[in-house]
Amino acid sequence: MTETTTEARAGVGEPLAVVCGGGRFPFAVAQAATRAGRSVTLFPIRGFADPWVEEWPHEWVPLGAFGALSAAIRRAGCRDVVIVGALTRPRLLDIRLDFTTVRLLPRIARLFRGGDDHLLSGVGAIFEEAGFRLRGAHEIAPGILVPEGRLGARAFDEAMAADARLGLAALAALGPYDVGQALVVIGGHVVAVEAAEGTDLMLERVADLRRRGRLKTAPGRGVLVKAPKPGQDRRIDLPSVGPQTVERTAAAGLGGLALEAGGVIAADLQAMIEAADRAGLALAGLAPR
Amino acid sequence: MTETTTEARAGVGEPLAVVCGGGRFPFAVAQAATRAGRSVTLFPIRGFADPWVEEWPHEWVPLGAFGALSAAIRRAGCRDVVIVGALTRPRLLDIRLDFTTVRLLPRIARLFRGGDDHLLSGVGAIFEEAGFRLRGAHEIAPGILVPEGRLGARAFDEAMAADARLGLAALAALGPYDVGQALVVIGGHVVAVEAAEGTDLMLERVADLRRRGRLKTAPGRGVLVKAPKPGQDRRIDLPSVGPQTVERTAAAGLGGLALEAGGVIAADLQAMIEAADRAGLALAGLAPR
């Protein structure tokens, strides 16, 4: 965190390019940079970024057109670049409906080697090689990092705290194998592990197992545990959560969310806390193991 | 294996009770015990065991009625008991349609604490406490253990061998967390980890990710990796495979199956090898790490 703050300060005053995927994270980053006195230009990725980006200085870019994108960023006078927002696979389905993007798929495909983080690492490497300074979203907007401690009305009970510890330990054990950033633990049992399917589909699976009577524990117990993969490039792949994560966790019949403090980002923590309180879920930031 | 063989010999001549779940494993065990000169009585579990059990001396028992079952086993003059066959959750759905079994569910539910192995451990403990000697299916029928080496026409290429090593290492890392017994690795990436959903649903998930364009690797690469959880009671919970596993692995677009040699059981290895050859999949038993 100390290093993060220093790095963020180092960029103060310099213009910032925010390459935007979907969701609210690009907004949080752009807002934080503006508040810090930086001029911000958004480069929303067509098919991923949300319409609000047009309220900012922006230039739409297609996914995969790195040459055009880097030229546009240079024209905007930026050297610091943040890549932030959802570039998740479900959106790739939509791309198929778009003929222009279909033509780009072979180039995108080369970056895919299994998980989203590889796409992102690939993109990150391309930017670095082009002479840009890649910044982490959390370096520009440290406020998006989930803080430590209870975050909402409901506290973890002992069983949930134990589930969270087990989950963090299991994620750490999986670290060297580059698996996922989330799992679900109920009553001391890891019932789902995220890999390529992502957190949302994993939570749907838990909801489904419960519907089919294959989880025999009462609802309201167990936790979703999220933590970054050890050793991953935090500038481009911190796990993220939002109110939707809370709703899916509730739909899975769990009791709460255990997020690694300083290792998971939330675009609007307050909205998430409110969603957790509404759903009666416990929400907490846990110190990394 | 040496110990196993000794133990199996120790029981020679003594009558054997085979408590049967679904599938062909109980048959393989009963057959091996008969060949070894033991008298065998089957205790097929209603709703799980298959009709062929009626060709053997048998007594149907409802799941959960341990008092009645142990009395029946004693009447049959058996002290050695094997519990073998599928008691998987999908079948529990069927139970719900059966009024008699619905009444037993509260007792069964107490045994459920997350994974199938807990149900099985619970059952195992109850038998041991009742004074029976619990035998592993593989102790009675060592032929069901997957042997080491290539088991079919197609050999692992280097990439698949590397995927298999990664998978075995990741499963071993997850060992202390009692997660699953299987995962899928493609091109150095763990794309799915089995937990409460079981191997079949995990393979379906991989097939689904591929259908939706979320796996960018060509079909015919990657492996299903199966190994027992370290430290688990092998008498009641060795992971099992069959021709159906091969078919689901093929449907998931993988290149092969990497099974821990001596740690995974196959009721009919020959049928499985044939299925693998038909599907063009590589099938191999790998030495434990």
Side-chain angles (χ1 to χ4, degrees), chain A residues 41 43 59-61 67-78 132:
Chain A
T41 309
F43 296 89
E59 186 168 339
W60 285 97
V61 291
L69 173 59
S70 58
I73 294 175
R74 280 197 197 90
R75 278 199 306 276
C78 304
F132 295 108

mmCIF file of all heavy atoms in Angstrom, chain A residues 41 43 59-61 67-78 132:
data_model
loop_
_atom_site.group_PDB
_atom_site.id
_atom_site.type_symbol
_atom_site.label_atom_id
_atom_site.label_comp_id
_atom_site.label_asym_id
_atom_site.label_seq_id
_atom_site.Cartn_x
_atom_site.Cartn_y
_atom_site.Cartn_z
ATOM 1 N N THR A 41 -8.316 11.064 -20.236
ATOM 2 C CA THR A 41 -9.019 10.704 -21.468
ATOM 3 C C THR A 41 -9.387 9.224 -21.396
ATOM 4 O O THR A 41 -8.541 8.392 -21.039
ATOM 5 C CB THR A 41 -8.137 10.935 -22.714
ATOM 6 O OG1 THR A 41 -7.612 12.272 -22.662
ATOM 7 C CG2 THR A 41 -8.956 10.769 -23.987
ATOM 8 N N PHE A 43 -10.590 5.670 -23.114
ATOM 9 C CA PHE A 43 -10.562 4.909 -24.363
ATOM 10 C C PHE A 43 -11.440 3.677 -24.177
ATOM 11 O O PHE A 43 -10.946 2.582 -23.917
ATOM 12 C CB PHE A 43 -9.111 4.549 -24.727
ATOM 13 C CG PHE A 43 -8.286 5.785 -24.993
ATOM 14 C CD1 PHE A 43 -7.610 6.410 -23.953
ATOM 15 C CD2 PHE A 43 -8.240 6.354 -26.254
ATOM 16 C CE1 PHE A 43 -6.883 7.572 -24.175
ATOM 17 C CE2 PHE A 43 -7.521 7.521 -26.484
ATOM 18 C CZ PHE A 43 -6.837 8.136 -25.446
ATOM 19 N N GLU A 59 -12.468 8.416 -26.599
ATOM 20 C CA GLU A 59 -12.374 7.939 -27.978
ATOM 21 C C GLU A 59 -12.626 6.432 -27.968
ATOM 22 O O GLU A 59 -11.857 5.673 -27.375
ATOM 23 C CB GLU A 59 -10.985 8.250 -28.554
ATOM 24 C CG GLU A 59 -10.876 7.913 -30.024
ATOM 25 C CD GLU A 59 -9.602 8.505 -30.662
ATOM 26 O OE1 GLU A 59 -9.036 9.467 -30.103
ATOM 27 O OE2 GLU A 59 -9.190 8.007 -31.698
ATOM 28 N N TRP A 60 -13.725 6.013 -28.607
ATOM 29 C CA TRP A 60 -14.056 4.586 -28.654
ATOM 30 C C TRP A 60 -12.991 3.826 -29.439
ATOM 31 O O TRP A 60 -12.512 4.326 -30.459
ATOM 32 C CB TRP A 60 -15.405 4.354 -29.321
ATOM 33 C CG TRP A 60 -16.574 4.710 -28.440
ATOM 34 C CD1 TRP A 60 -17.263 5.876 -28.442
ATOM 35 C CD2 TRP A 60 -17.173 3.882 -27.439
ATOM 36 N NE1 TRP A 60 -18.261 5.846 -27.505
ATOM 37 C CE2 TRP A 60 -18.236 4.615 -26.866
ATOM 38 C CE3 TRP A 60 -16.927 2.590 -26.960
ATOM 39 C CZ2 TRP A 60 -19.041 4.122 -25.854
ATOM 40 C CZ3 TRP A 60 -17.734 2.085 -25.949
ATOM 41 C CH2 TRP A 60 -18.771 2.854 -25.401
ATOM 42 N N VAL A 61 -12.653 2.649 -28.974
ATOM 43 C CA VAL A 61 -11.685 1.813 -29.692
ATOM 44 C C VAL A 61 -12.216 0.387 -29.769
ATOM 45 O O VAL A 61 -12.905 -0.071 -28.863
ATOM 46 C CB VAL A 61 -10.305 1.803 -28.983
ATOM 47 C CG1 VAL A 61 -9.637 3.165 -29.104
ATOM 48 C CG2 VAL A 61 -10.435 1.396 -27.517
ATOM 49 N N GLY A 67 -2.727 -1.080 -32.369
ATOM 50 C CA GLY A 67 -2.007 -0.034 -33.091
ATOM 51 C C GLY A 67 -2.786 1.274 -33.055
ATOM 52 O O GLY A 67 -2.264 2.320 -32.659
ATOM 53 N N ALA A 68 -4.056 1.214 -33.428
ATOM 54 C CA ALA A 68 -4.914 2.398 -33.434
ATOM 55 C C ALA A 68 -5.047 2.972 -32.019
ATOM 56 O O ALA A 68 -4.993 4.196 -31.826
ATOM 57 C CB ALA A 68 -6.291 2.025 -33.984
ATOM 58 N N LEU A 69 -5.191 2.075 -31.037
ATOM 59 C CA LEU A 69 -5.360 2.529 -29.658
ATOM 60 C C LEU A 69 -4.130 3.270 -29.166
ATOM 61 O O LEU A 69 -4.220 4.373 -28.601
ATOM 62 C CB LEU A 69 -5.674 1.337 -28.744
ATOM 63 C CG LEU A 69 -5.718 1.623 -27.240
ATOM 64 C CD1 LEU A 69 -6.770 2.691 -26.919
ATOM 65 C CD2 LEU A 69 -6.001 0.359 -26.450
ATOM 66 N N SER A 70 -2.953 2.691 -29.412
ATOM 67 C CA SER A 70 -1.755 3.335 -28.880
ATOM 68 C C SER A 70 -1.500 4.670 -29.583
ATOM 69 O O SER A 70 -1.071 5.646 -28.954
ATOM 70 C CB SER A 70 -0.540 2.405 -28.969
ATOM 71 O OG SER A 70 -0.319 2.027 -30.313
ATOM 72 N N ALA A 71 -1.839 4.749 -30.882
ATOM 73 C CA ALA A 71 -1.717 6.028 -31.585
ATOM 74 C C ALA A 71 -2.649 7.067 -30.956
ATOM 75 O O ALA A 71 -2.269 8.223 -30.734
ATOM 76 C CB ALA A 71 -2.039 5.839 -33.071
ATOM 77 N N ALA A 72 -3.876 6.649 -30.640
ATOM 78 C CA ALA A 72 -4.857 7.566 -30.042
ATOM 79 C C ALA A 72 -4.391 8.041 -28.665
ATOM 80 O O ALA A 72 -4.520 9.217 -28.318
ATOM 81 C CB ALA A 72 -6.218 6.877 -29.947
ATOM 82 N N ILE A 73 -3.826 7.138 -27.885
ATOM 83 C CA ILE A 73 -3.344 7.512 -26.548
ATOM 84 C C ILE A 73 -2.191 8.513 -26.677
ATOM 85 O O ILE A 73 -2.120 9.501 -25.942
ATOM 86 C CB ILE A 73 -2.911 6.252 -25.755
ATOM 87 C CG1 ILE A 73 -4.129 5.352 -25.464
ATOM 88 C CG2 ILE A 73 -2.238 6.649 -24.451
ATOM 89 C CD1 ILE A 73 -3.792 4.028 -24.800
ATOM 90 N N ARG A 74 -1.324 8.274 -27.629
ATOM 91 C CA ARG A 74 -0.206 9.208 -27.827
ATOM 92 C C ARG A 74 -0.724 10.583 -28.270
ATOM 93 O O ARG A 74 -0.251 11.602 -27.792
ATOM 94 C CB ARG A 74 0.781 8.657 -28.862
ATOM 95 C CG ARG A 74 1.731 7.628 -28.279
ATOM 96 C CD ARG A 74 2.964 7.378 -29.153
ATOM 97 N NE ARG A 74 3.580 6.119 -28.728
ATOM 98 C CZ ARG A 74 3.262 4.926 -29.238
ATOM 99 N NH1 ARG A 74 2.366 4.834 -30.215
ATOM 100 N NH2 ARG A 74 3.829 3.834 -28.780
ATOM 101 N N ARG A 75 -1.706 10.581 -29.174
ATOM 102 C CA ARG A 75 -2.315 11.859 -29.603
ATOM 103 C C ARG A 75 -2.893 12.615 -28.415
ATOM 104 O O ARG A 75 -2.845 13.846 -28.360
ATOM 105 C CB ARG A 75 -3.449 11.604 -30.608
ATOM 106 C CG ARG A 75 -3.003 11.399 -32.049
ATOM 107 C CD ARG A 75 -4.151 11.612 -33.048
ATOM 108 N NE ARG A 75 -5.343 10.787 -32.748
ATOM 109 C CZ ARG A 75 -5.477 9.505 -33.152
ATOM 110 N NH1 ARG A 75 -4.507 8.914 -33.840
ATOM 111 N NH2 ARG A 75 -6.559 8.835 -32.858
ATOM 112 N N ALA A 76 -3.446 11.870 -27.440
ATOM 113 C CA ALA A 76 -4.021 12.520 -26.251
ATOM 114 C C ALA A 76 -2.926 12.959 -25.281
ATOM 115 O O ALA A 76 -3.207 13.532 -24.227
ATOM 116 C CB ALA A 76 -5.005 11.572 -25.565
ATOM 117 N N GLY A 77 -1.669 12.685 -25.634
ATOM 118 C CA GLY A 77 -0.552 13.149 -24.815
ATOM 119 C C GLY A 77 -0.319 12.356 -23.538
ATOM 120 O O GLY A 77 0.300 12.841 -22.595
ATOM 121 N N CYS A 78 -0.808 11.125 -23.509
ATOM 122 C CA CYS A 78 -0.684 10.323 -22.281
ATOM 123 C C CYS A 78 0.456 9.310 -22.383
ATOM 124 O O CYS A 78 0.677 8.716 -23.436
ATOM 125 C CB CYS A 78 -1.972 9.547 -22.012
ATOM 126 S SG CYS A 78 -3.447 10.562 -21.904
ATOM 127 N N PHE A 132 4.463 2.685 -22.977
ATOM 128 C CA PHE A 132 3.571 3.297 -21.994
ATOM 129 C C PHE A 132 3.932 2.803 -20.591
ATOM 130 O O PHE A 132 4.596 1.785 -20.425
ATOM 131 C CB PHE A 132 2.110 2.946 -22.316
ATOM 132 C CG PHE A 132 1.639 3.521 -23.627
ATOM 133 C CD1 PHE A 132 1.437 2.700 -24.724
ATOM 134 C CD2 PHE A 132 1.414 4.888 -23.758
ATOM 135 C CE1 PHE A 132 1.011 3.224 -25.933
ATOM 136 C CE2 PHE A 132 0.990 5.422 -24.971
ATOM 137 C CZ PHE A 132 0.789 4.595 -26.059
#
